[in-house]
Every structure is written in C-alpha cells, then in structure tokens.
Amino acid sequence: MKILGIDIGGSGIKAAIVNTKTGELLTERHRIATPKPATPNAVAKVVKEMVEHFDWKDAVGCSFPTTIVEGKCIHSGNLSKKWLNIKVDKLFRKECHIPFYVSNDADLAGVAEVNLGAGKKEKGVTIVITIGTGIGSGLFYNKKLIPNLELGKMLHSNGKIIEYYTADSIRKKEDLSLKQWALRFDELLEYTRIVFSPSLIILGGGISKKYDQFKEYLTTDVKVKVAEFRNNAGIIGAAMYAHKRLKD
C-alpha cells in the first residue's frame, strides 16, 4: 500500500510516499524547515504545504516528537508549550481536509526498524533510541509496541531531565567532542540496561551515522545496532502506522 509518511522534527519536517510492505520510499524525500516558533498553527501550515507538494488526497501517517495518546499531545515536548493538550490529528485534518494518523516519532521509527529494519530478526525486548533535538525512545516486546516510553524524561543523577544532558542538540550547544558526548550517552544506555534488560538497542537520529566513531566509548554489554532506515525511519514507520490503522 502506498501512503504518505510525514516526520515532524525539531529542525525539519520530512516526508515521502512509502511502500508500507517493503519500507521503500517511492518518491524523493522532501524537507521543509520546522517553523520558528513551532506553534500548532505554524506547523499545521507546513504540513499542508507538504501534502500539497505531493498532491496527496488520501490518509497520512505522521510521526510527532512528543507523547501522543489517541491523537492528543499530552506533553509539550521540544516544539512549543502551545502543543499541550492539542488534538494533533484533528488539527492537521482540519487544515488539510484528509485523515491523519499521528503517534510518537520514536515509536513509529521503531515500528519501521523492528518489522523491516535492524530488529526484524530479533525477539524479546527491543528498545529504539532516537538522538536529536531531544531523546526519543520506543519499547517493543516480540515486535509488539508498548507505546509512549520516554527514556529522555528520566532524571539524571544531577536531578535534571536526562535528555538535557545527552541529546545531540546538547552536544552541539556545549561544543562537546564525540567522546565527551558518548560518555554521557553511555550513562543513559546503562540506565536502560538496568531497568529493561533489552536484548537489542537500536540507535537512530542524525548522530547515529557517526556510530563507528563513538562506539568504542560505549560500555554496555547489550547488543547495539544502528537503524537501517536512518533518518527515514520516522517517515516509513508513520506510513506503516497509518496503513495498520486503516486496516483496523
């Protein structure tokens, strides 16, 4: 089935039409910068621009960078505090006049990776961690999604939210070397190992492309893989999610 997948991120909004059976992008990926400030109305207008770019008239799957329950944003995330309690699916449907199926970005990136990518042969507990403006995470047991895991919202030993210590945006903001950042990220992996005992951790987000440059600084004994779909995982997973919802 062909479905438009849209991945909303802190710096960019990306989309493509996807073959939901294979994960193949059937079009070139299109990117539009996330508006500043990223208010609901501003983002909705970019989403409409994206839909028009693809001349898309059917249902859309959408990855969104915070906790989503039944289409509703229950945490403001890293976009704008104005998103809190917004029904994101309803907002985009009203703007574009087509159905939207919206869920958490890391969950949907995980849907793509666990079913078609780096975790397709794995059983047991798999955790997907996306590293970008914040820290996203998806939890799967035997490929079944347990939604809205937020590892990035755990508290670090200094009492502050851990994504403010380990996100890629913090690496850039504090001008950390890859080694300095990786040693911080290793602490998050250790927390994850202790709490969830995963058999596999899949890393996504832009910095995952540099995995070979920082993997030597990670001490976890859990198997770690890089997301096969890289920055397209959110687009692919969003399309797969919409396909499943349409079937249900």
Side-chain angles (χ1 to χ4, degrees):
M1 191 170 184
K2 300 176 183 178
I3 290 187
L4 179 64
I6 299 179
D7 184 13
I8 296 175
S11 59
I13 296 173
K14 307 175 289 289
I17 297 173
V18 178
N19 179 327
T20 57
K21 184 176 180 180
T22 64
E24 176 189 4
L25 300 193
L26 300 175
T27 61
E28 289 290 320
R29 187 178 77 169
H30 187 58
R31 183 184 187 279
I32 304 173
T34 303
K36 305 294 183 189
T39 61
N41 286 339
V43 171
K45 290 187 185 312
V46 173
V47 167
K48 182 179 181 181
E49 182 182 344
M50 190 69 80
V51 168
E52 291 174 345
H53 171 84
F54 288 98
D55 192 26
W56 190 253
K57 310 295 185 185
D58 299 313
V60 178
C62 184
S63 297
F64 196 80
T66 190
T67 310
I68 298 287
V69 176
E70 296 181 353
K72 183 178 180 179
C73 178
I74 65 168
H75 189 283
S76 57
N78 295 306
L79 290 178
S80 163
K81 290 187 177 2
K82 293 183 178 180
W83 282 100
L84 187 62
N85 294 322
I86 293 288
K87 282 277 289 181
V88 185
D89 52 357
K90 184 177 179 180
L91 172 69
F92 293 166
R93 182 175 69 243
K94 182 179 179 181
E95 186 72 31
C96 302
H97 307 292
I98 52 178
F100 272 78
Y101 297 96
V102 182
S103 195
N104 174 263
D105 56 351
D107 281 355
L108 297 190
V111 166
E113 289 297 331
V114 165
N115 288 284
L116 299 174
K120 63 185 176 184
K121 296 181 180 178
E122 196 70 30
K123 293 182 179 179
V125 177
T126 297
I127 291 181
V128 178
I129 300 178
T130 57
I131 313 153
T133 305
I135 296 287
S137 52
L139 173 64
F140 296 81
Y141 181 68
N142 290 340
K143 303 191 184 303
K144 181 177 175 57
L145 173 66
I146 293 90
N148 292 316
L149 173 71
E150 291 285 358
L151 288 178
K153 299 298 185 284
M154 293 193 305
L155 298 185
H156 186 42
S157 56
N158 62 9
K160 296 183 178 179
I161 293 174
I162 200 165
E163 72 177 355
Y164 298 153
Y165 178 72
T166 57
D168 194 33
S169 58
I170 301 301
R171 177 184 68 88
K172 295 172 182 175
K173 181 180 179 181
E174 298 185 13
D175 196 24
L176 301 173
S177 68
L178 267 181
K179 179 179 180 180
Q180 289 172 317
W181 171 81
L183 291 174
R184 291 186 178 192
F185 185 67
D186 192 48
E187 296 178 44
L188 175 60
L189 293 184
E190 181 61 9
Y191 288 151
T192 302
R193 181 193 67 79
I194 291 170
V195 175
F196 295 99
S197 301
S199 55
L200 173 66
I201 294 174
I202 300 173
L203 302 183
I207 199 171
S208 66
K209 290 183 285 189
K210 300 181 180 180
Y211 178 66
D212 286 340
Q213 299 173 46
F214 66 77
K215 65 181 181 181
E216 65 182 293
Y217 307 118
L218 304 180
T219 62
T220 183
D221 58 1
V222 177
K223 182 166 54 178
V224 176
K225 289 184 178 181
V226 175
E228 286 185 14
F229 295 121
R230 303 292 176 101
N231 270 348
N232 291 335
I235 295 172
I236 297 165
M240 292 173 67
Y241 175 69
H243 183 190
K244 185 176 187 304
R245 290 289 303 274
L246 286 168
K247 284 172 61 180
D248 295 346

